[in-house]
mmCIF file of all heavy atoms in Angstrom:
data_model
loop_
_atom_site.group_PDB
_atom_site.id
_atom_site.type_symbol
_atom_site.label_atom_id
_atom_site.label_comp_id
_atom_site.label_asym_id
_atom_site.label_seq_id
_atom_site.Cartn_x
_atom_site.Cartn_y
_atom_site.Cartn_z
ATOM 1 N N VAL A 334 59.969 40.137 -31.358
ATOM 2 C CA VAL A 334 60.809 39.654 -32.447
ATOM 3 C C VAL A 334 62.212 39.329 -31.939
ATOM 4 O O VAL A 334 62.810 40.116 -31.211
ATOM 5 C CB VAL A 334 60.907 40.728 -33.556
ATOM 6 C CG1 VAL A 334 61.884 40.283 -34.628
ATOM 7 C CG2 VAL A 334 59.540 40.996 -34.144
ATOM 8 N N PHE A 335 62.707 38.170 -32.318
ATOM 9 C CA PHE A 335 64.107 37.830 -32.079
ATOM 10 C C PHE A 335 64.783 37.712 -33.426
ATOM 11 O O PHE A 335 64.383 36.894 -34.251
ATOM 12 C CB PHE A 335 64.216 36.503 -31.329
ATOM 13 C CG PHE A 335 63.707 36.576 -29.926
ATOM 14 C CD1 PHE A 335 62.374 36.330 -29.646
ATOM 15 C CD2 PHE A 335 64.559 36.921 -28.888
ATOM 16 C CE1 PHE A 335 61.902 36.420 -28.347
ATOM 17 C CE2 PHE A 335 64.094 37.002 -27.587
ATOM 18 C CZ PHE A 335 62.761 36.749 -27.314
ATOM 19 N N ASP A 336 65.774 38.520 -33.645
ATOM 20 C CA ASP A 336 66.360 38.529 -34.974
ATOM 21 C C ASP A 336 67.862 38.797 -34.913
ATOM 22 O O ASP A 336 68.311 39.726 -34.243
ATOM 23 C CB ASP A 336 65.665 39.620 -35.799
ATOM 24 C CG ASP A 336 66.143 39.621 -37.247
ATOM 25 O OD1 ASP A 336 66.342 38.518 -37.787
ATOM 26 O OD2 ASP A 336 66.333 40.715 -37.789
ATOM 27 N N GLN A 337 68.595 37.976 -35.601
ATOM 28 C CA GLN A 337 70.031 38.157 -35.746
ATOM 29 C C GLN A 337 70.771 38.330 -34.424
ATOM 30 O O GLN A 337 71.579 39.235 -34.255
ATOM 31 C CB GLN A 337 70.331 39.350 -36.668
ATOM 32 C CG GLN A 337 69.846 39.083 -38.076
ATOM 33 C CD GLN A 337 70.411 40.085 -39.049
ATOM 34 O OE1 GLN A 337 71.619 40.265 -39.102
ATOM 35 N NE2 GLN A 337 69.561 40.720 -39.821
ATOM 36 N N ASN A 338 70.476 37.470 -33.490
ATOM 37 C CA ASN A 338 71.253 37.436 -32.260
ATOM 38 C C ASN A 338 72.262 36.309 -32.348
ATOM 39 O O ASN A 338 72.105 35.375 -33.142
ATOM 40 C CB ASN A 338 70.328 37.194 -31.067
ATOM 41 C CG ASN A 338 69.296 38.291 -30.925
ATOM 42 O OD1 ASN A 338 69.623 39.397 -30.530
ATOM 43 N ND2 ASN A 338 68.043 37.993 -31.287
ATOM 44 N N TYR A 339 73.272 36.389 -31.506
ATOM 45 C CA TYR A 339 74.218 35.283 -31.403
ATOM 46 C C TYR A 339 73.861 34.459 -30.170
ATOM 47 O O TYR A 339 73.688 34.996 -29.076
ATOM 48 C CB TYR A 339 75.659 35.793 -31.296
ATOM 49 C CG TYR A 339 76.617 34.699 -30.961
ATOM 50 C CD1 TYR A 339 77.057 33.813 -31.949
ATOM 51 C CD2 TYR A 339 77.069 34.495 -29.657
ATOM 52 C CE1 TYR A 339 77.915 32.773 -31.643
ATOM 53 C CE2 TYR A 339 77.927 33.457 -29.341
ATOM 54 C CZ TYR A 339 78.343 32.607 -30.345
ATOM 55 O OH TYR A 339 79.180 31.567 -30.046
ATOM 56 N N TRP A 340 73.755 33.140 -30.342
ATOM 57 C CA TRP A 340 73.397 32.242 -29.233
ATOM 58 C C TRP A 340 74.499 31.216 -29.092
ATOM 59 O O TRP A 340 74.748 30.445 -30.016
ATOM 60 C CB TRP A 340 72.074 31.533 -29.528
ATOM 61 C CG TRP A 340 70.960 32.415 -30.010
ATOM 62 C CD1 TRP A 340 70.705 32.766 -31.309
ATOM 63 C CD2 TRP A 340 69.960 33.064 -29.228
ATOM 64 N NE1 TRP A 340 69.609 33.583 -31.375
ATOM 65 C CE2 TRP A 340 69.124 33.788 -30.101
ATOM 66 C CE3 TRP A 340 69.685 33.096 -27.857
ATOM 67 C CZ2 TRP A 340 68.043 34.547 -29.653
ATOM 68 C CZ3 TRP A 340 68.606 33.830 -27.415
ATOM 69 C CH2 TRP A 340 67.794 34.555 -28.312
ATOM 70 N N SER A 341 75.138 31.177 -27.930
ATOM 71 C CA SER A 341 76.251 30.222 -27.786
ATOM 72 C C SER A 341 75.757 28.781 -27.850
ATOM 73 O O SER A 341 76.509 27.878 -28.174
ATOM 74 C CB SER A 341 76.999 30.454 -26.479
ATOM 75 O OG SER A 341 76.128 30.279 -25.379
ATOM 76 N N ASP A 342 74.479 28.539 -27.563
ATOM 77 C CA ASP A 342 73.948 27.178 -27.617
ATOM 78 C C ASP A 342 73.529 26.750 -29.024
ATOM 79 O O ASP A 342 73.122 25.613 -29.224
ATOM 80 C CB ASP A 342 72.721 27.045 -26.692
ATOM 81 C CG ASP A 342 73.133 26.873 -25.244
ATOM 82 O OD1 ASP A 342 74.352 26.826 -24.988
ATOM 83 O OD2 ASP A 342 72.248 26.808 -24.373
ATOM 84 N N TYR A 343 73.645 27.650 -29.959
ATOM 85 C CA TYR A 343 73.201 27.324 -31.318
ATOM 86 C C TYR A 343 74.103 26.268 -31.939
ATOM 87 O O TYR A 343 75.326 26.377 -31.892
ATOM 88 C CB TYR A 343 73.221 28.594 -32.173
ATOM 89 C CG TYR A 343 72.714 28.394 -33.584
ATOM 90 C CD1 TYR A 343 71.427 27.951 -33.827
ATOM 91 C CD2 TYR A 343 73.541 28.653 -34.678
ATOM 92 C CE1 TYR A 343 70.959 27.770 -35.106
ATOM 93 C CE2 TYR A 343 73.091 28.477 -35.976
ATOM 94 C CZ TYR A 343 71.782 28.038 -36.183
ATOM 95 O OH TYR A 343 71.336 27.868 -37.454
ATOM 96 N N THR A 344 73.479 25.230 -32.503
ATOM 97 C CA THR A 344 74.292 24.160 -33.071
ATOM 98 C C THR A 344 74.041 24.009 -34.569
ATOM 99 O O THR A 344 74.415 23.006 -35.165
ATOM 100 C CB THR A 344 73.977 22.814 -32.383
ATOM 101 O OG1 THR A 344 72.554 22.669 -32.351
ATOM 102 C CG2 THR A 344 74.526 22.776 -30.979
ATOM 103 N N GLY A 345 73.409 25.006 -35.146
ATOM 104 C CA GLY A 345 73.108 24.917 -36.579
ATOM 105 C C GLY A 345 74.335 25.149 -37.454
ATOM 106 O O GLY A 345 75.453 25.264 -36.975
ATOM 107 N N TYR A 346 74.093 25.243 -38.734
ATOM 108 C CA TYR A 346 75.196 25.356 -39.690
ATOM 109 C C TYR A 346 74.913 26.522 -40.641
ATOM 110 O O TYR A 346 73.813 27.060 -40.692
ATOM 111 C CB TYR A 346 75.334 24.063 -40.478
ATOM 112 C CG TYR A 346 74.001 23.508 -40.909
ATOM 113 C CD1 TYR A 346 73.377 23.967 -42.077
ATOM 114 C CD2 TYR A 346 73.332 22.555 -40.133
ATOM 115 C CE1 TYR A 346 72.124 23.497 -42.453
ATOM 116 C CE2 TYR A 346 72.088 22.081 -40.504
ATOM 117 C CZ TYR A 346 71.486 22.562 -41.664
ATOM 118 O OH TYR A 346 70.263 22.099 -42.045
#
Side-chain angles (χ1 to χ4, degrees):
Chain A
V334 175
F335 292 89
D336 185 39
Q337 295 193 53
N338 299 287
Y339 170 79
W340 312 88
S341 61
D342 280 358
Y343 183 60
T344 48
Y346 43 84

